[in-house]
């Protein structure tokens, strides 16, 4: 089955009728076969480059996320995942979906390949960015160094641990330490 036969001339993300769909390879796959691709319209193709700026377009993913085609599910998930920090409706869709093993494994490999998509959040769920200042919300014994980082202490100019959403780095008592995001709040 080729892509147009599978999609039946309907964009697999937004359901727009389109006689000639574009084949879009779903990250992080590299082999251009139908199972790794979604058939999408021009508008979806353009908006995929800037999903956050075109959030209004992506409400359609609430339907496409339930596609029986794994590639369509995974592509839908990836866009929703990028929208979720700023769009509550996208988070709601993610919270409500069920993914089978294939889809979950694919998404996992996408996360590993795209660590920038990992979102760091403080204890209140606020998104942390590199350079932020955070405050410790409990005393932390620093392993390897002989001191306790005190509750209430500010840590300026944090860095994000790119492959771990639970960890940030910062300077406390002139030492670079790794801090768990659950123990900080954004200042
Ligand atoms: Zn479309």
């Amino acid at each position: 089955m080729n892509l147009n036969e599978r999609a039946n001339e309907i964009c697999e993300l937004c359901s727009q009728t389109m006689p000639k769909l574009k084949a879009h390879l779903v990250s992080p796959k590299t082999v251009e076969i139908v199972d790794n691709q979604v058939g999408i319209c021009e508008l979806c193709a353009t908006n995929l480059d800037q999903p956050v700026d075109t959030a209004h377009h992506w409400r359609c993913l609430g339907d496409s996320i339930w596609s029986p085609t794994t590639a369509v599910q995974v592509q839908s998930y990836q866009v929703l995942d990028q929208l979720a920090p700023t769009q509550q409706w996208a988070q709601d869709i993610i919270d409500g979906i069920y993914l089978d093993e294939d889809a979950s494994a694919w998404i996992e490999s996408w996360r590993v390949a795209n660590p920038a998509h990992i979102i760091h959040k403080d204890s209140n769920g606020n998104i942390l960015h590199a350079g932020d200042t955070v405050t410790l919300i409990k005393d932390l014994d620093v392993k390897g160094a002989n001191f306790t980082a005190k509750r209430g202490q500010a840590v300026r100019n944090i860095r994000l641990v790119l492959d771990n959403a639970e960890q940030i780095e910062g300077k406390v008592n002139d030492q670079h330490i790794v801090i768990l995001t659950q123990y900080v709040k954004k200042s």
Side-chain angles (χ1 to χ4, degrees):
M1 190 169 16
N2 71 31
L3 196 61
N4 273 296
E5 283 165 0
R6 185 183 80 196
N8 201 16
E9 300 190 353
I10 294 171
C11 173
E12 291 186 295
L13 294 182
C14 76
S15 300
Q16 187 79 22
T17 303
M18 187 72 53
K20 251 195 133 187
L21 295 165
K22 295 182 110 162
H24 175 82
L25 190 64
V26 181
S27 176
K29 302 286 188 189
T30 52
V31 184
E32 299 273 358
I33 55 171
V34 175
D35 283 349
N36 291 345
Q37 296 170 328
V38 290
I40 58 175
C41 69
E42 291 281 350
L43 186 57
C44 281
T46 305
N47 289 352
L48 266 185
D49 290 335
Q50 295 290 342
V52 176
D53 295 336
T54 55
H56 57 279
H57 173 76
W58 296 115
R59 297 256 178 184
C60 56
L61 300 177
D63 292 325
S64 62
I65 193 81
W66 295 104
S67 166
T69 305
T70 306
V72 177
Q73 271 200 312
V74 172
Q75 182 62 63
S76 302
Y77 185 97
Q78 290 179 3
V79 175
L80 288 167
D81 191 71
Q82 292 172 69
L83 298 177
T86 52
Q87 306 286 331
Q88 184 59 44
W89 59 265
Q91 185 63 52
D92 290 344
I93 294 171
I94 286 178
D95 290 345
I97 53 178
Y98 167 79
L99 296 168
D100 67 16
E101 249 174 70
D102 288 350
S104 296
W106 192 335
I107 287 163
E108 197 50 45
S109 63
W110 168 68
R111 286 197 193 285
V112 171
N114 296 275
H117 292 300
I118 288 180
I119 308 286
H120 293 71
K121 292 181 183 173
D122 73 1
S123 53
N124 294 322
N126 294 313
I127 294 172
L128 297 170
H129 301 282
D132 279 351
T133 298
V134 298
T135 306
L136 303 180
I137 60 168
K138 62 173 271 187
D139 289 351
L140 302 175
D141 288 323
V142 181
K143 286 190 197 114
N146 209 6
F147 70 92
T148 301
K150 290 287 181 199
R151 174 166 180 251
Q153 187 160 356
V155 182
R156 287 173 224 293
N157 197 21
I158 61 163
R159 289 194 309 200
L160 308 178
V161 176
L162 286 184
D163 59 356
N164 191 331
E166 316 281 296
Q167 297 182 346
I168 58 172
E169 290 174 21
K171 226 175 185 184
V172 177
N173 291 6
D174 277 335
Q175 302 208 37
H176 269 288
I177 62 169
V178 173
I179 306 165
L180 297 181
T181 53
Q182 60 180 308
Y183 298 139
V184 305
K185 69 171 193 227
K186 199 167 173 164
S187 301

